Amino acid sequence: MLPKHWPEVERIYQDGIDTNQATFETQTPSWKAWDAGHLLTPRLVAKANDDFILGWAALSPISKREVYRGVAEVSIYIDVKNLGQGIGKKLLTSLISQSEAAGIWMLQAVTFPENEASVRLHEKLGFRLVGQRERIAQQHGVWRDTVILERRSDKIN
């Protein structure tokens, strides 16, 4: 993912926000804010043959503390018109591989339990459910739960 991709990445992100099933965010950040909050690598986009962006994936550090330098949180968003085509699996598979090459030993995903497609995708690729936070936050006045999934690399000791 490059800065030039931001308009399409932002569009896909906003579509995810609008579903109320992807994030507690209510609006997309600026490129500068998004860039500052995510690791430089890996940042991925999936493109169609015409360079139309079908989805994106990136990692955020879970903490600024040095001991957690190898732990990151997954963000993965697919264009709503292209759901169910295996794009998420390809992106997440590549994200896992590239994260291990970058020294990341643990990936974490936090999602809503109702987002069953996301939970299934992560579980298919080796993430395990480690917990559920009940009534963690309100979204539009409604209490919401989140589930936490994690994947420990078998390539980094």
Side-chain angles (χ1 to χ4, degrees), residues 2-75:
L2 301 171
K4 70 179 184 177
H5 297 129
W6 179 244
E8 286 187 75
V9 166
E10 182 182 28
R11 175 188 56 78
I12 293 168
Y13 191 16
Q14 185 63 54
D15 286 347
I17 290 169
D18 292 345
T19 69
N20 294 322
Q21 295 301 318
T23 180
F24 283 119
E25 295 293 341
T26 57
Q27 61 185 26
T28 61
S30 67
W31 164 255
K32 184 176 179 181
W34 186 93
D35 182 48
H38 289 80
L39 298 176
L40 293 176
T41 186
R43 294 177 177 186
L44 308 173
V45 290
K47 293 182 183 181
N49 291 337
D50 61 0
D51 282 343
F52 180 80
I53 294 180
L54 304 170
W56 62 271
L59 297 177
S60 306
I62 64 142
S63 175
K64 293 179 181 179
R65 296 165 74 188
E66 177 64 19
V67 296
Y68 294 112
R69 71 190 175 283
V71 184
E73 184 173 343
V74 172
S75 292

Side-chain angles (χ1 to χ4, degrees), residues 130-146:
V130 293
Q132 181 164 336
R133 296 182 296 187
E134 295 178 357
R135 297 170 51 101
I136 189 71
Q138 286 190 18
Q139 185 180 45
H140 309 295
V142 177
W143 285 106
R144 298 292 304 266
D145 298 351
T146 58

Side-chain angles (χ1 to χ4, degrees), residues 90-155:
K90 289 177 184 175
L91 275 170
L92 189 53
T93 298
S94 185
L95 190 75
I96 290 166
S97 175
Q98 291 187 38
S99 71
E100 290 173 332
I104 304 293
W105 60 76
M106 178 76 71
L107 293 176
Q108 169 184 295
V110 180
T111 190
F112 298 113
E114 298 86 1
N115 191 343
E116 295 173 1
S118 181
V119 172
R120 279 192 313 270
L121 171 64
H122 286 85
E123 288 178 334
K124 284 180 187 176
L125 293 177
F127 285 73
R128 65 185 181 97
L129 181 66
V130 293
Q132 181 164 336
R133 296 182 296 187
E134 295 178 357
R135 297 170 51 101
I136 189 71
Q138 286 190 18
Q139 185 180 45
H140 309 295
V142 177
W143 285 106
R144 298 292 304 266
D145 298 351
T146 58
V147 293
I148 304 167
L149 300 111
E150 68 181 21
R151 182 187 187 281
R152 172 72 191 205
S153 172
D154 59 4
K155 294 180 173 52

